[in-house]
Each structure stands twice: as C-alpha cells, then as structure tokens.
Amino acid sequence: MSEGLLSVDNLSAGYGGRPVLESLSLAIPSGQRLGLIGPNGCGKSTLLRTLTAEVPESSGTILFQEEDITDLETDVIVGRGIGYLRQTHNVFSGLTVAENLEIAAEDGRQRAVRDVGAVLEAFPVLKGRDAVRAGLMSGGERQALAVAMVLMHQVSLLLLDEPLAGLSQRSAMDLLRGIDKLQREEGFAVVLVEHRLKLIFPYVDRVLVMVGGAVSEDTDDTSLLENRERLEKHFLA
Amino acid sequence: MEAYLLHLLIMIGIYSILSYSMNLVTGFGGLLIFCLAGFYGIGAYAHTLLQVGGPESQFIGELLFSAALPFPVALLGAAAAGGLAALLIGSVALRFRGDFFVFTTLGFQMIVFVVLYNWTDLGRGAFGIYGIPRPDVFGWEVRELWEYVVLVGALNALILPVLFLLYRSPFGLSLKALRENERAAESLGISAFRQHLSALVVAGACSGIAGGLFASYVTYIDPTSFGLKESIFIVSLLLLGGSGNIRGPILGVVVMILLPEALRFAGLPDSIAPNMREIIYGFTLVILMYWRPKGLAGDFALR
Amino acid sequence: MMNEPILTIENLDKRFGDVAVLRGVSASLLPGTVTAFVGPNGAGKTTLFHAITGDLVPDGGAVMLRGNPITRMAPWKIARKGLGKMFQDVRIFENLTAIENVLLALHDHPGQSAWASLAEAPFRRRLEPGLVREAKSWLEKAGVEPPYDRPAELLSFGNKKLLALARLMAGKFDLLLLDEPTAGLSPIMVNRITELIRQLTDQGITIALIEHNFSFVADVAERAYLLQEGQIHDYGPTAEVLAKEENREMLIGL
C-alpha cells in the first residue's frame, strides 16, 4: 500500500496558550490531491505550519516516507521533499522573477533541481517576465511565481496554504491548471487549503473538513464541495 | 587611599543619576537610546558657561553667558538645557520606530560631540574649559572630597525619589504597557509619542544635572567626556545591571565602576589595564546578552 | 429605529497594492445594539475595523463618531473618544498583572502625564487602594479567574479574552469593536462572553463584532452586515441575513 507518504498521529499544537490543533490524525497516500477546507480559524493553516515545523507541536508524531520528522527543522523537512507555499511572504518582492527562481533553485543539498523552462511551461503568466520585480506584479502573477519557486525542486508532497486568496476567478483557474499539469506529470501529493470550494472541485480526489482543530469529515466523495446542505453542518453550525 | 575611595563614591553617585534616568526611558519605556551622554554633556557645558566669566573672557560662550551665576541656579540651567535637548531630539526621533529611532539618537549624540568639538568659540573645542568654579551652595563652599560626597549624595536624594515615584506611577505603568505592545496601549488611549517624549525630557533634565555636578567636581571639561563612547558606557551599565526596576541600574553602576579598579589592584600595569578593561566590558556584555538578556537583576530584556 | 447612529461609515476605500480590500463600504451602528460583520475569509472585515479605529488610514471615505469625523485621527485619540477594541490576537500586556492591565484602562488613568503623576504622588497612597479595588471589581464582573496579581501571560486563552473585555469595561468605552471574540474558545467560555455582551448592551454600550461562529452571531447580534470582496453584500436583521440561501452559500464559500 502507498499510504506511507505522510502520516500524522494525534497531533496537537497552538499559540500563546490557545490550542488550535487537538489530537488530529491524518494519513495521505502518495499522489493524492487533498482539499483541506473548514471555517475560518479551524486550524487548516496551523496544520500546514505544524507539519513544516513553523509552529511547534505540543504532542503527536509526524511520519513522512516512514521516517519521523516531528522534531526536524523547517529547512530539513523541506529538504526531504515537502514543498510548502506559505500564505504570505512567499516571494522576494524586491527581486526579479528570474532572481526569485534562481534563489529557489539554489540549494546546498543534493536535490534534483527542475528545469526553469518546464516550470514556466506550466505557468504561462511568468513567461517573458524574467526582468520584472516580483513586487510590481499582479496578485495572480505573484502567486504563480511563488508556486513555481516551491516547485523548482522535486517534491513528493506539496502543501499549499491558500494559494488562491485574493485572486480573480480567472487567475485562480490558471494557477490551479498549472499546478495540476505538473502534478499529473510527476504524481506528487497535494494538500490544498482554499475557501472558494467550487474552484477546487475538479482538482481534488479527497476532501477533509476541519472544525475547531479536529477532523469533522473526511471523504473521497468530492461532490461534498458543491453540496450546501452537507457543508452547512460544518460551516454554519 | 581614602581620597581614592571617596572619588569612587562620587563617580558612583553621578552615574547613578545617569543610569536611573536612562532606566526610565529604556527599562520602562522600552526605548534604547544612544544619546544620554549628549544630554549629560549639554548639561555640563550649560552649567559651566553659566558659571564662568570675568575680565579674561576668551570665548563667546563665556562672553554670552558670563553671568557668573550661583551654583544652584547654574545647576537648574543645566537641567533645563538637558531637558530642552531631549525635547528637541525626542520630537524628531520619536516619529520613527525600532532601528531608525535608535539611529536617530545615535546621530544626535554624534552631532552634539562634533558641535562641542568644533565650535571653539562656544566652549574652546578640544582645549576644553578649565577653572570651573567649585560649588558654592548657599554659602556652603564645597572643597573637600567628602563635601563632594555629601553634595552628590544630596542631589541623589533629591532626584532619585522623583524618578522612583515616576517608575511606580500611572505614568510609569503606561510606559511599561507601551514597552510591551504599543498598539494595544494606544487602543486604551495612551499616546506613545507623548509618554515617550515626557520620559526623554525627564531623563534629559536629570542627566543635565549630573553633567553640572561632574563639571564642578572635575573643574575641567572637554568634549571627549561626552562622546558616543560615554553613551555606550551608560547603555552597558543598564545592560549589565538590568533595567525596568530599581535594583538593576545601581548594581550595573557599582559593578562597572568598581570592576576596572579591581583590575588595577589585580596588578595589571597602567598601560594595559585600560585596554583590558574595555575587552572585559565587551566580553561581559556579550556573555550577558547570551545567558542573561535581562542583565544581572533586571525586569526587562531589550530585544 | 429612530435613534441616531453612534458610528457612521461612508464609502470607505482601502487598497493594499493591487488588491482593493474595501470598496465603498458604508455602514452604521445604532446605539445600544450589537451588529455583526460576517463574510468569507479575506472579505475585508478586519481591515474595516482597523480603518475605523485608526490603525489603518483609509484611501477614501469617512468615519463619523457621534457625527464628528474621526477618519484620520491617531488611534489613541479615537480611543479617548470612547471607541474601544479587542484585537483578533487579544493583545493583553502579558508581563503585567491582570490588575495592572485593568488599571491602565481606568478612567483618567490611561496616558496620565508624567507631571500629573508627580503631582498626584503625595496622594497615591490614599488613591491606590481605591483604584486597585475598582480594577478587581471589573475583573470579577468580567469573570476573570483569580489570582489577579500574577503576570497575565499565566492566564488561559479564554481568561485573556475576558481580561481584554474587563479592560474595555473599566475604560468606560461606549462603543466596542470586537474582532472574533469567540475564536479559539470552549463552549463554556463562549457562553460567558455571550452573557457579558448582553450585560454590556443592557448598559447602553454599542458593540460591533467580527465573527465566524454563526450560532453565537444569531444569539447576540440584532443586525448583521455581510461583506464579500470588500463590499457590503447584504444588511438586515441577523436571522434574515443568515437565512438567505445565497448568503449561506457565500459564507461557506460556494
């Protein structure tokens, strides 16, 4: 079985005395595309940040490719093949597109570095924009650059924290298509946090609803994303 | 030997005024400043220029101010000058936050030094001013060392209680709140600008008095006593002793003033001792920042 | 309602770079009522609150408190006009005691000048016990768990929120903006906050809140604004706003 990619057991975490994740368990097989949804403040971002050691866990274990990564630092975890797109500060806005990609490709570790061309192929909005400063680009272009930067390395698991926030419908669709293209080629697993549920419907094979720091529903039936009655009990309770 | 101990007591007294002044701004207000020696120097020069004078006047400062005012009045003048300087630099620097604020105070410190150093007409620049009259406090002529100890002690007894009252007052509490979270404090109606500016002015005025005391004790001043190095020394007093309370600053003063003397007694030759002293200061501070960011006895760690 | 609104927001605009976060938002708050601002993530609710409290300067539009413009005023001045707020991340003074936290908000106390503090010093010994007693009574009214003389960082998250409310009560603010008062709280704590809010409005205090806990919103708020992409999408009695199918889809993110 391929369930061994990521397995989270009884994970708890929080900030400043406020518990956010409460004994959360979750397993993600290789190549799965997981949509992580839930009302504001339910702990979606905190889960991703805990997985990448940006927030310390208070208890629980995280196994990645059957190795314990619970106590590793962020850079080591990323080095093992977990790509992580944080919600903010995900590009260097004073640097150009080319410089950003170059920095993303640089790495002291022995890790397969992808060809810039292949990444740009997936995100056409970046083409011919090499010399443009990231800070001057539109939201859609900037997010595409951020995703491209994460994907400059071979990843087995891609964690995306609201990559579509603030984007117009069209740029959001473009970005999703680009990610999907690379995902199909390489088969990495994706965890996608997003609030506009209909948008991600075609791009996920499993939906996990979090409420109050715990899993409220976990289903392969992705039609949940379009079913108001079923969603209401999680979101409007 | 006795004279030497009395001298150390006088210096401890002067620096205790300086470090408790700085404590209000840094330990309570959370603002790191590198210009306290500027206020100290401005106080020393103001005090001097208000006192010196006479037929053999040689520089404009002397001519301008040759009022030959009595000691207590000159000391008040020193306080006013220090406070005014703080008001000036505060109203500029407090428009900035964080590193920019610190750099502005640093810049002010350097300007004060350069002006004192190069404006020879004002205070004879690098030559310094000598022959500063010894204090005459309402008929009490302070001449002996022990008399200076009494004078410095008396001024400590006047100034420190005022500062301590401020530490414990609603004003001091609002400074602590600002130190912790400026936006939260402002949301309760506390103006960061006003409170920080007041703290600076109080600190500037008290430092000015310390400057006047220093001038009338050594009877000779030149700009080198009031440079950046001096400001850094005062910052280190607080870093070492700790700030945000009453025991920290005085501990810093006593340790930092007695430490070099201890080194001297340890048998280091005079040619090496001063350099060793600075190395040891530096080393102590680095170790302290690492292991004990609140200082030896402080309540607050500058981040 | 015949009442004049206590706060009026007119055509507020705010951009961050190329993103328009507020686009011509107008709203008003009626005295003694609770108004909820709901909407999906990124709708601009917190930005709207920051623009009201002076923490952000809006690009266009006006904010009027009791008919007087406060649009470009410093936050501390706005606070002194009676507008209090609780931040999303609470922001109590963690290293000060619970009592000191409340003392800071007491009337005439916040931002007392150095000179006033010195002038008052001779009487401090007489004044202080009274002030401390008053602070304690506010802490008790808010239901903060004692002891009150330890650093506030030792309080639980729920108690920190109650402390923030105690501070606002002590400060006699008559208009409160609460950014997610129930986020991260247990149901028991949510009930306590609900009770407190009821008490406050009974005293004529006006409250605006941002909230994602809709049963809480339905419980406490008379009226609700629904924000979507920086615009007011709907406004009305809370039950009506929350009942509309279109609004429910929007809140879920469909």
Side-chain angles (χ1 to χ4, degrees):
Chain A
M1 259 187 61
S2 59
E3 86 272 293
L5 183 65
L6 182 82
S7 123
V8 175
D9 192 32
N10 266 314
L11 193 65
S12 296
Y15 327 79
R18 169 185 175 183
V20 181
L21 295 183
E22 308 207 48
S23 300
L24 183 134
S25 297
L26 165 72
I28 301 173
S30 312
Q32 187 175 61
R33 301 174 303 168
L34 175 70
L36 184 55
I37 65 171
N40 232 350
C42 70
K44 305 179 296 281
S45 292
T46 304
L47 173 58
L48 298 198
R49 297 182 63 197
T50 312
L51 291 179
T52 49
E54 287 211 336
V55 172
E57 75 289 335
S58 47
S59 66
T61 52
I62 307 165
L63 297 183
F64 180 63
Q65 290 170 336
E66 279 150 25
E67 282 178 63
D68 193 339
I69 59 163
T70 320
D71 298 323
L72 300 183
E73 301 281 330
T74 305
D75 59 330
V76 182
I77 293 170
V78 170
R80 298 243 174 137
I82 297 185
Y84 170 48
L85 179 76
R86 50 173 66 71
Q87 222 174 78
T88 53
H89 304 291
N90 47 24
V91 298
F92 302 102
S93 42
L95 303 182
T96 64
V97 171
E99 287 167 336
N100 267 290
L101 290 170
E102 202 175 308
I103 286 172
E106 247 170 52
D107 191 341
R109 274 173 255 284
Q110 300 294 313
R111 212 152 36 107
V113 174
R114 202 187 303 268
D115 173 42
V116 179
V119 173
L120 291 186
E121 201 61 46
F123 303 105
V125 286
L126 297 178
K127 273 195 189 160
R129 308 276 283 160
D130 278 13
V132 182
R133 266 181 217 289
L136 299 176
M137 300 198 301
S138 74
E141 294 165 332
R142 209 160 42 223
Q143 285 302 84
L145 173 61
V147 176
M149 285 170 70
V150 175
L151 289 175
M152 284 306 286
H153 293 282
Q154 211 86 48
V155 300
S156 335
L157 175 62
L158 181 61
L159 307 175
L160 301 171
D161 195 356
E162 300 198 30
L164 313 178
L167 300 194
S168 69
Q169 183 101 356
R170 228 183 84 200
S171 344
M173 296 302 284
D174 287 345
L175 187 58
L176 281 171
R177 268 196 294 271
I179 297 167
D180 189 58
K181 181 174 184 296
L182 289 169
Q183 197 276 335
R184 274 171 204 285
E185 285 166 12
E186 317 205 354
F188 48 77
V190 180
V191 176
L192 177 59
V193 175
E194 179 49 38
H195 283 274
R196 284 178 289 176
L197 309 182
K198 272 182 185 158
L199 272 180
I200 62 171
F201 175 62
Y203 299 102
V204 296
D205 345 284
R206 173 181 168 196
V207 179
L208 193 107
V209 191
M210 277 178 75
V211 176
V215 176
S216 175
E217 185 169 350
D218 185 355
T219 174
D220 293 338
D221 174 15
T222 58
S223 68
L224 170 67
L225 290 176
E226 295 192 308
N227 188 324
R228 182 169 61 82
E229 271 94 34
R230 278 176 67 198
L231 287 168
E232 273 191 3
K233 74 175 201 294
H234 302 298
F235 281 77
L236 301 180
Chain B
M1 184 63 196
E2 192 196 313
Y4 175 63
L5 287 178
L6 290 176
H7 165 75
L8 288 182
L9 263 179
I10 293 166
M11 291 319 285
I12 286 176
I14 290 174
Y15 278 103
S16 99
I17 296 177
L18 289 174
S19 68
Y20 279 117
S21 305
M22 175 99 172
N23 189 32
L24 184 68
V25 177
T26 305
F28 286 85
L31 295 176
L32 182 59
I33 55 167
F34 279 103
C35 60
L36 204 81
F39 306 147
Y40 178 47
I42 285 169
Y45 271 85
H47 177 87
T48 302
L49 294 176
L50 288 172
Q51 281 220 292
V52 294
E56 76 278 33
S57 291
Q58 285 162 344
F59 48 98
I60 293 182
E62 200 173 352
L63 281 175
L64 263 179
F65 302 99
S66 62
L69 293 169
F71 173 83
V73 180
L75 212 52
L76 283 179
L84 211 65
L87 186 71
L88 195 81
I89 176 62
S91 37
V92 176
L94 285 169
R95 314 221 170 257
F96 305 110
R97 286 288 166 271
D99 298 343
F100 285 104
F101 171 80
V102 177
F103 279 122
T104 312
T105 65
L106 201 89
F108 174 74
Q109 169 65 58
M110 288 157 91
I111 290 169
V112 169
F113 179 79
V114 168
V115 168
L116 291 179
Y117 199 86
N118 290 310
W119 192 0
T120 45
D121 286 341
L122 178 78
R124 294 170 40 94
F127 294 111
I129 306 172
Y130 37 81
I132 299 168
R134 292 190 178 276
D136 179 343
V137 191
F138 306 117
W140 171 38
E141 295 188 356
V142 178
R143 297 291 177 271
E144 300 293 326
L145 274 176
W146 68 266
E147 288 176 311
Y148 272 104
V149 174
V150 172
L151 177 67
V152 170
L155 278 161
N156 266 276
L158 276 176
I159 295 171
L160 301 195
V162 173
L163 289 172
F164 295 172
L165 277 175
L166 282 177
Y167 294 171
R168 293 197 180 124
S169 70
F171 172 71
L173 187 60
S174 74
L175 285 178
K176 278 160 95 175
L178 286 166
R179 157 185 108 183
E180 214 164 296
N181 191 326
E182 214 170 289
R183 281 181 66 188
E186 293 220 318
S187 81
L188 296 176
I190 298 167
S191 161
F193 183 80
R194 280 195 197 172
Q195 303 302 80
H196 281 151
L197 190 61
S198 311
L200 269 172
V201 169
V202 171
C206 295
S207 308
I209 293 176
L213 267 179
F214 175 76
S216 60
Y217 169 54
V218 294
T219 70
Y220 165 81
I221 53 168
D222 71 38
T224 54
S225 308
F226 314 108
L228 182 57
K229 213 167 132 183
E230 187 65 16
S231 267
I232 293 175
F233 180 73
I234 300 166
V235 171
S236 358
L237 292 178
L238 274 199
L239 290 180
L240 182 95
S243 60
N245 57 16
I246 286 177
R247 55 182 194 276
I250 191 66
L251 186 66
V253 169
V254 172
V255 172
M256 285 292 256
I257 288 184
L258 296 187
L259 184 77
E261 309 306 328
L263 285 179
R264 189 180 306 176
F265 282 107
L268 281 175
D270 274 358
S271 57
I272 299 178
N275 299 324
M276 271 313 280
R277 195 192 303 172
E278 307 232 325
I279 291 174
I280 289 178
Y281 282 163
F283 220 68
T284 317
L285 285 176
V286 171
I287 290 171
L288 215 66
M289 286 304 94
Y290 199 79
W291 293 108
R292 222 184 149 84
K294 285 185 175 176
L296 295 174
D299 280 357
F300 164 64
L302 268 174
R303 284 166 295 262
Chain C
M1 294 255 185
M2 304 292 288
N3 277 337
E4 282 287 301
I6 181 168
L7 186 91
T8 322
I9 304 157
E10 288 162 10
N11 257 315
L12 226 47
D13 284 316
K14 179 72 195 176
R15 302 181 67 85
F16 292 126
D18 64 339
V19 185
V21 185
L22 298 178
R23 298 188 287 173
V25 174
S26 297
S28 57
L29 305 178
L30 299 172
T33 63
V34 179
T35 308
F37 288 82
V38 297
N41 228 358
K45 304 180 295 291
T46 297
T47 306
L48 175 63
F49 271 28
H50 283 333
I52 297 171
T53 56
D55 288 296
L56 275 176
V57 180
D59 299 328
V63 183
M64 320 280 273
L65 185 62
R66 294 185 208 86
N68 304 310
I70 54 165
T71 317
R72 273 165 190 82
M73 228 176 247
W76 67 272
K77 279 189 187 155
I78 295 178
R80 287 198 179 181
K81 290 188 181 295
L83 197 157
K85 66 188 153 189
M86 183 163 98
F87 297 88
Q88 216 167 43
D89 50 358
V90 194
R91 299 201 197 174
I92 52 159
F93 305 111
E94 306 257 342
N95 293 314
L96 305 187
T97 66
I99 289 180
E100 285 175 323
N101 264 277
V102 176
L103 279 176
L104 277 162
L106 280 182
H107 205 50
D108 282 345
H109 219 59
Q112 190 181 58
S113 73
W115 332 118
S117 268
L118 277 181
E120 205 189 81
F123 317 105
R124 175 106 1 93
R125 207 161 280 204
R126 235 175 19 178
L127 288 171
E128 204 153 79
L131 292 170
V132 169
R133 230 177 298 126
E134 191 184 344
K136 271 189 185 155
S137 82
W138 287 116
L139 287 163
E140 280 158 11
K141 271 180 203 150
V144 181
E145 229 170 80
Y148 300 145
D149 51 2
R150 291 190 308 166
E153 63 181 338
L154 299 173
L155 293 171
S156 72
F157 184 67
N159 272 291
K160 285 179 184 173
K161 285 206 164 174
L162 293 178
L163 172 56
L165 284 173
R167 225 161 51 172
L168 292 174
M169 288 156 67
K172 306 259 166 69
F173 293 98
D174 49 14
L175 168 58
L176 304 182
L177 303 192
L178 313 177
D179 196 345
E180 301 204 29
T182 73
L185 295 189
S186 66
I188 298 167
M189 277 291 176
V190 175
N191 285 341
R192 209 179 273 180
I193 300 241
T194 310
E195 253 168 62
L196 267 180
I197 287 180
R198 293 234 167 87
Q199 282 172 27
L200 291 172
T201 46
D202 283 348
Q203 295 157 27
I205 291 171
T206 313
I207 295 176
L209 44 87
I210 294 174
E211 207 29 89
H212 291 277
N213 179 339
F214 296 105
S215 55
F216 170 73
V217 167
D219 245 14
V220 299
E222 285 100 334
R223 320 202 127 241
Y225 282 92
L226 174 63
L227 257 86
Q228 159 80 336
E229 289 177 359
Q231 287 177 310
I232 301 289
H233 187 266
D234 197 10
Y235 168 63
T238 307
E240 279 175 33
V241 171
L242 291 183
K244 282 184 202 158
E245 200 162 300
E246 184 195 358
N247 293 349
R248 294 174 81 83
E249 288 190 350
M250 198 171 275
L251 287 170
I252 294 170
L254 280 172

